Amino acid sequence: MIGSMPRASSLATFIPLIALWTACGGGGGSSSGTPSPSPSPSPAASLNMRLFAHVDAVTLTSTAIPGEQVPAAGGTRTGSGNWGYTAPNGRRFALTGTSLGLSIVEVTDPERPRNLGLVPGPANQWREVKTYGGYAYVTTEARVGMDIVDLRDPDRPRKVQTWNRTFDSAHTLWIDEERGLLYAHGTQTGMHVLDVGANPEDPREVGVFGGFYVHDSYGRGTTLYAAAIRDGFIGILDVSNPANIREVTRFFTGGRFTHNCWLTRDSRYLFTTDERISRPIEGWDLIDPLAPRKVSEYIAGPGTIPHNVMIDGDRLLLSHYTEGVHLLDVTDPEHPRLLGFYDTYPGLSGGFDGAWGAYIFPGTDLIVVSDIEGGLFVVGYTGR
């Protein structure tokens, strides 16, 4: 493990530009869950955010959904990637990857989360999830494949199958909901593209890209921004024909360990993360896509590590490992402004601990955070 450092100041660092173990990118009947008791945050641990509830990792992994059994497991139970699902009737659910499978917790009433249970899988520290329509797709580095979970009746989630027709493990995934395409990254044989639109329960592979190792991606329209963590760049890919993906250009990020990325809503700016100590997230102006220009940086404190970004409207949400979750105003992407943060990790700053993933329900102030050691945190932005 990378050595910890003394906890940094709560004051974040902004730098507008004028002129873990291995890190994430390495390797390859329901119960009404009771929130675990959590102390109120100290003034230094939060800004303009409040804790609604905390469900620890043991609770997340102790009860399986009907028809499934929680696998026997020794050692520590941990959290990993997460996402959110909003049902057609407005009910909200936290989907949290854990070391034993996918946890499903209803957070419609954020102060009283309801644990619907675990969709079990083989023990593995890496587990990521995204949704398409009423389905969740779950990848892991365990050599089994990708789980497909039916959420259309969220009170009775159902594991449809473990899809492993052309790959048996994947590190992360991205789903283009407009085109119904799923991109599975970090497999043994490249980035696989599946058509989930035609048949969400049994998708068909429509393409494979092997030009470089893709750790994660973000797509809009017929362009995919692929984070090449091993090579340190963003590859801009033309995915108009998934069977023949073409690289348009590439550009290196500051830390040369390009972890993930997300576009602003006008598609002009891209924010990227490098999963290295003291490397900030970076904002890039794409007005000339063949020559992106870095225009801003943000990091919570020296010696710390940003992990994942996502953007909702003009707000950027950042999971920042030992610094918890941070929310930024990116109305002006060249001058991001801190709106608030909540620190989910009580230990020292600087290592690969704490907040792995964070998801904000679109158009709301409700945020769910997956913490490696702590499990699920349900928090809200209060600064409006």
Side-chain angles (χ1 to χ4, degrees):
M1 179 181 294
I2 296 176
S4 297
M5 298 179 62
R7 175 160 291 282
S9 165
S10 300
L11 295 178
T13 301
F14 293 92
I15 313 174
L17 301 183
I18 301 176
L20 122 166
W21 46 251
T22 309
C24 171
S30 62
S31 66
S32 55
T34 302
S36 302
S38 299
S40 298
S42 67
S46 66
L47 172 70
N48 294 334
M49 284 193 188
R50 63 163 292 194
L51 176 66
F52 287 118
H54 170 219
V55 186
D56 64 47
V58 173
T59 302
L60 294 179
T61 56
S62 293
T63 304
I65 63 171
E68 301 285 346
Q69 291 185 333
V70 175
T76 304
R77 303 183 184 201
T78 58
S80 50
N82 81 333
W83 199 244
Y85 170 65
T86 303
N89 63 2
R91 294 170 62 191
R92 298 184 180 120
F93 300 83
L95 307 177
T96 306
T98 77
S99 53
L100 294 183
L102 175 69
S103 162
I104 304 173
V105 175
E106 182 171 6
V107 293
T108 306
D109 180 347
E111 295 187 90
R112 296 172 179 80
R114 189 166 70 99
N115 184 16
L116 295 173
L118 183 78
V119 182
N124 192 270
Q125 186 156 17
W126 288 271
R127 190 165 267 110
E128 296 283 349
V129 57
K130 294 290 187 295
T131 56
Y132 176 76
Y135 294 88
Y137 298 82
V138 188
T139 58
T140 175
E141 292 212 340
R143 302 296 292 273
V144 293
M146 178 182 68
D147 283 346
I148 301 175
V149 181
D150 185 353
L151 299 173
R152 291 175 299 170
D153 181 354
D155 290 311
R156 298 170 182 81
R158 175 179 64 95
K159 181 176 176 178
V160 175
Q161 67 161 309
T162 300
W163 194 99
N164 55 12
R165 207 162 299 154
T166 59
F167 60 87
D168 63 6
S169 71
H171 191 65
T172 64
L173 73 159
W174 167 254
I175 298 178
D176 179 343
E177 296 186 68
E178 294 296 324
R179 301 179 69 198
L181 295 176
L182 181 151
Y183 298 86
H185 318 113
T187 77
Q188 303 295 314
T189 50
M191 180 179 71
H192 292 250
V193 189
L194 307 185
D195 178 1
V196 294
N199 187 349
E201 295 197 359
D202 191 24
R204 177 178 62 92
E205 184 166 285
V206 293
V208 181
F209 175 76
F212 50 83
Y213 177 88
V214 179
H215 172 269
D216 205 347
S217 72
Y218 180 89
R220 187 173 295 170
T222 59
T223 302
L224 189 76
Y225 299 87
I229 195 167
R230 295 178 179 173
D231 299 297
F233 61 78
I234 290 288
I236 301 180
L237 306 180
D238 178 351
V239 293
S240 53
N241 178 6
N244 184 27
I245 296 174
R246 182 176 62 87
E247 181 178 343
V248 177
T249 190
R250 62 177 65 175
F251 65 93
F252 289 92
T253 55
R256 299 292 179 99
F257 203 60
T258 318
H259 184 266
N260 97 307
C261 61
W262 207 283
L263 276 178
T264 55
R265 60 178 170 182
D266 62 2
S267 300
R268 173 163 174 178
Y269 295 89
L270 185 77
F271 281 88
T272 62
T273 61
D274 284 290
E275 196 185 18
R276 290 198 190 280
I277 291 176
S278 295
R279 290 307 315 176
I281 68 169
E282 298 174 324
W284 300 85
D285 186 351
L286 302 178
I287 192 166
D288 180 357
L290 297 180
R293 180 175 62 93
K294 186 164 72 170
V295 294
S296 60
E297 295 183 345
Y298 172 86
I299 191 166
T304 66
I305 311 167
H307 195 212
N308 288 311
V309 295
M310 72 168 289
I311 293 174
D312 172 50
D314 291 322
R315 299 178 300 175
L316 181 149
L317 190 68
L318 169 63
S319 53
H320 209 301
Y321 276 129
T322 57
E323 310 314 293
V325 60
H326 286 228
L327 187 67
L328 309 181
D329 180 348
V330 291
T331 303
D332 178 357
E334 300 194 15
H335 300 87
R337 180 174 63 88
L338 178 64
L339 295 172
F341 64 85
Y342 184 87
D343 192 351
T344 61
Y345 182 69
L348 299 177
S349 287
F352 294 101
D353 298 296
W356 179 303
Y359 176 89
I360 185 167
F361 288 87
T364 78
D365 295 324
L366 180 62
I367 298 166
V368 289
V369 188
S370 57
D371 185 275
I372 297 168
E373 294 82 7
L376 173 67
F377 289 78
V378 185
V379 301
Y381 172 59
T382 62
R384 287 180 183 274

